Amino acid sequence: MVGLYTTELVEPNLLYSAVQDHVTGTHAHLHCYSRLPLRQLLRHVSAQNATAWWISEHPSAQSVQPSRDVILNHILSQPVKEHDVVLVESLEWLVARNGEDAILELIQQLDTESKTHGYSILFPVDPLSLSQRFWKRLRAIAPAYDVLNEHNVSE
């Protein structure tokens, strides 16, 4: 699994359990970007093989501003290694704050980076929360991934 993917599994208990199992089985590291406050997020992921950041307007040591440029620079500044998984929640909120075109540009840049360095980025998304145009463009770059069964979903 290298490159960008989307999953429609957005329920935190199921999502993080499945991703944590994948990471543990491959000895990779999980990099989480979530709107869940850090204390709540750490209920779902193990601090042993995961690093977590809170996507928030409130500044703190473990928070990242919900800006396209800030998120891109933060992900690129992290020591993401081959086979690691970067999970970026709240794409819908980022689109609402930054606009569809800016987030599509972010996604294209992350696609190039992830493929160049051999890691994957997963976006849990509820397709009904995005415009049909954006959803189609997103899925063209980041195809569906069945997190529970760990395989690509051909559409």
Side-chain angles (χ1 to χ4, degrees), residues 53-71:
W53 292 276
W54 181 31
I55 301 174
S56 174
E57 295 170 330
H58 303 286
S60 75
Q62 286 298 114
S63 69
V64 177
Q65 293 289 313
S67 154
R68 182 199 83 84
D69 293 333
V70 171
I71 289 175

Side-chain angles (χ1 to χ4, degrees), residues 12-13 15-17 20 30-47 50-55 62 87 89:
N13 287 329
L15 173 68
Y16 284 107
S17 175
Q20 190 76 46
L30 177 61
H31 305 264
C32 299
Y33 291 83
S34 175
R35 286 217 47 210
L36 287 175
L38 207 50
R39 199 175 289 170
Q40 286 182 351
L41 184 58
L42 290 174
R43 292 180 191 159
H44 302 289
V45 297
S46 166
T51 309
W53 292 276
W54 181 31
I55 301 174
Q62 286 298 114
L87 190 142
E89 287 187 69

Side-chain angles (χ1 to χ4, degrees), residues 16-128:
Y16 284 107
S17 175
V19 173
Q20 190 76 46
D21 288 348
H22 169 77
V23 169
T24 302
T26 61
H27 304 289
H29 192 79
L30 177 61
H31 305 264
C32 299
Y33 291 83
S34 175
R35 286 217 47 210
L36 287 175
L38 207 50
R39 199 175 289 170
Q40 286 182 351
L41 184 58
L42 290 174
R43 292 180 191 159
H44 302 289
V45 297
S46 166
Q48 290 179 324
N49 62 349
T51 309
W53 292 276
W54 181 31
I55 301 174
S56 174
E57 295 170 330
H58 303 286
S60 75
Q62 286 298 114
S63 69
V64 177
Q65 293 289 313
S67 154
R68 182 199 83 84
D69 293 333
V70 171
I71 289 175
L72 176 64
N73 291 333
H74 193 273
I75 291 172
L76 297 181
S77 72
Q78 297 307 305
V80 181
K81 298 179 183 133
E82 191 173 12
H83 305 296
D84 281 359
V85 176
V86 178
L87 190 142
V88 182
E89 287 187 69
S90 305
L91 195 63
E92 306 90 343
W93 187 52
L94 296 174
V95 168
R97 293 185 53 82
N98 297 271
E100 290 182 354
D101 292 336
I103 297 303
L104 282 170
E105 186 178 309
L106 165 73
I107 289 167
Q108 289 168 336
Q109 290 174 300
L110 290 175
D111 185 44
T112 301
E113 285 294 320
S114 64
K115 289 177 179 171
T116 300
H117 298 289
Y119 60 88
S120 56
I121 300 177
L122 182 65
F123 296 101
V125 194
D126 177 359
L128 297 177

